[in-house]
Amino acid sequence: MRVPVYQTQAKRSQAGGGQFLTASLASNAMSGTAEALGAVGDLISEIGIKKMQIQTQTQIDEAENSMLLELSEIKDEALKLPDPVAAEEATKTKMNNLLQKYSSGRAINKATGNPMLSGRNAKARFIAKGQALLSTATIDFVKDNNARILEQDRVNLDNAVNKSVQIASDTSLDVTQRAEAFSNIFDMSKQPNGEISGKSGVLAKGKAGGTLDAKSFMTRLDQATESIVRGTALNLMRGSDDATATMLQIVNGESTDIVLNSALSQMDPGDKGKVVSSLMTLAEKIDTERRQQREANDKIADKANADMFSQIINVESSWP
């Protein structure tokens, strides 16, 4: 005899099992969807962050290039100013103001009309980059500007030397004034501690102050000495009736011009010989030109006398 209960229980068991399986499948499906949606959300968030990072880096790169160009323009303009000393502080101020403009976001992109650094992150990250650009630009400018200052110092020194050379060589001036001009160039006086004294000449001061190196110092010393010898000798020859005789006195050490003698005494023997030789040639040329001029004047005078005599004779012969 069959037992119906068994079949019923089996059917329930089968039905129940089907319900449990359906619920399990639905649960798994929802879980997978949630994970997928979460992954998509993470990806979108990651892309957004990446976009922001790219935008920030792009702004920083563009701002860096723009600031570098402006720093270069400021430097070029400053190096054209006539006064390099006054230009230094003004240029440093301009460069610092430029960094503040960029770091604060006030620098404008000329192509878009928008701030070059629009976000906090971009501004914050640019500070270190901008400071590095400013530091490099300032160092380069100061280096180039110092070279200009040094060159200006040399120009001022050369002008002072040339002025003193002219005074020392002018034989029409008082000898005391000429001697002072000579000392203003060549005096090498030092204090007891070995430092240059206030009485030292411009060349010694220029060397001590770094305006002249050892080679430049010696070059200017030799040039100034030779210029004084040539200038003084020429003035003495022009003031004499016999230029050659005047040069012979100089060569034989018989000149009474103390400035000329001092200059000759500090010349290198080889250089001195070349200068004296060229001055002797010049003296002979001066005397030759003077003689030729006298001869030409004599001919003109003779002709004038002859013409006058001829007129007198003609007048006398026409008397009745």
Side-chain angles (χ1 to χ4, degrees), residues 300-313:
I300 293 174
D302 290 343
K303 185 177 183 305
N305 291 334
D307 291 343
M308 182 178 296
F309 180 77
S310 176
Q311 290 177 2
I312 293 174
I313 294 300

Side-chain angles (χ1 to χ4, degrees), residues 41-185:
D42 291 342
L43 179 60
I44 293 174
S45 178
E46 183 179 348
I47 292 174
I49 294 173
K50 191 67 176 177
K51 285 182 177 179
M52 291 180 63
Q53 290 175 343
I54 293 173
Q55 182 187 40
T56 297
Q57 188 60 49
T58 300
Q59 289 186 353
I60 291 174
D61 291 343
E62 291 179 349
E64 178 182 357
N65 292 333
S66 179
M67 180 175 171
L68 190 61
L69 179 61
E70 287 198 60
L71 286 170
S72 179
E73 291 173 349
I74 292 174
K75 173 187 171 183
D76 291 343
E77 290 177 2
L79 293 178
K80 295 177 183 178
L81 295 175
D83 188 348
V85 177
E88 184 165 324
E89 288 303 317
T91 302
K92 287 180 179 179
T93 299
K94 283 185 178 181
M95 289 183 170
N96 281 312
N97 291 340
L98 185 66
L99 174 60
Q100 293 177 9
K101 183 178 77 171
Y102 275 84
S103 299
S104 64
R106 289 183 287 110
I108 302 300
N109 188 319
K110 295 180 180 179
T112 64
N114 299 322
M116 302 199 76
L117 300 171
S118 59
R120 289 184 179 180
N121 190 29
K123 296 175 186 177
R125 288 180 55 190
F126 185 79
I127 292 177
K129 178 70 68 174
Q131 187 62 53
L133 293 176
L134 174 63
S135 178
T136 300
T138 301
I139 292 172
D140 289 344
F141 165 70
V142 171
K143 179 180 178 182
D144 292 344
N145 199 53
N146 283 345
R148 291 181 67 221
I149 293 174
L150 185 61
E151 182 59 31
Q152 187 62 52
D153 284 344
R154 292 195 185 103
V155 171
N156 294 339
L157 183 146
D158 288 340
N159 289 337
V161 170
N162 291 336
K163 182 178 180 180
S164 293
V165 165
Q166 291 177 358
I167 295 174
S169 305
D170 190 348
T171 54
S172 67
L173 297 176
D174 181 77
V175 68
T176 300
Q177 184 179 357
R178 294 175 59 210
E180 288 177 353
F182 187 90
S183 297
N184 186 54
I185 302 172

